[in-house]
């Protein structure tokens, strides 16, 4: 899908240099992938303290084959 975007040239050039990518397309694609990953991780962090756990659960026991 072809898309025309008005992207700050200075930001794109710095991202290209810092990321070590050969093309602007590769730079933008990786930036988008990192953005998505960061947002998904932030949603997981919101769950801390909201999920109940059983302190008597023996997770190491589950690792053994029976």
């Amino acid at each position: 899908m072809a898309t025309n975007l008005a992207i700050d040239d200075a930001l794109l050039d710095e991202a290209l240099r810092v990321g070590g990518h050969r093309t602007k397309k590769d730079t933008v694609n990786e930036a988008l992938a990192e953005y998505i990953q960061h947002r998904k991780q932030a949603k997981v962090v919101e769950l801390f303290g909201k999920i109940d756990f059983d302190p008597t659960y023996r997770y190491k026991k589950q690792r053994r084959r029976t």
Side-chain angles (χ1 to χ4, degrees):
M1 165 175 58
T3 304
N4 293 324
L5 297 173
I7 299 175
D8 185 334
D9 287 331
L11 287 175
L12 186 55
D13 288 341
E14 184 174 358
L16 189 68
R17 182 182 54 80
V18 171
H21 298 288
R22 294 181 350 159
T23 65
K24 291 179 180 180
K25 179 181 177 181
D26 291 341
T27 303
V28 171
N29 283 335
E30 182 168 331
L32 288 171
E34 287 181 13
Y35 175 80
I36 292 167
Q37 181 182 15
H38 176 75
R39 290 295 178 132
K40 286 181 178 180
Q41 288 174 346
K43 287 182 180 181
V44 170
V45 170
E46 291 174 3
L47 295 176
F48 285 118
K50 294 182 180 179
I51 299 174
D52 293 330
F53 70 97
D54 182 4
T56 62
Y57 177 70
R58 297 177 60 203
Y59 65 92
K60 289 183 180 181
K61 183 178 180 183
Q62 293 294 334
R63 294 180 187 168
R64 295 188 196 122
R65 294 180 188 233
T66 56

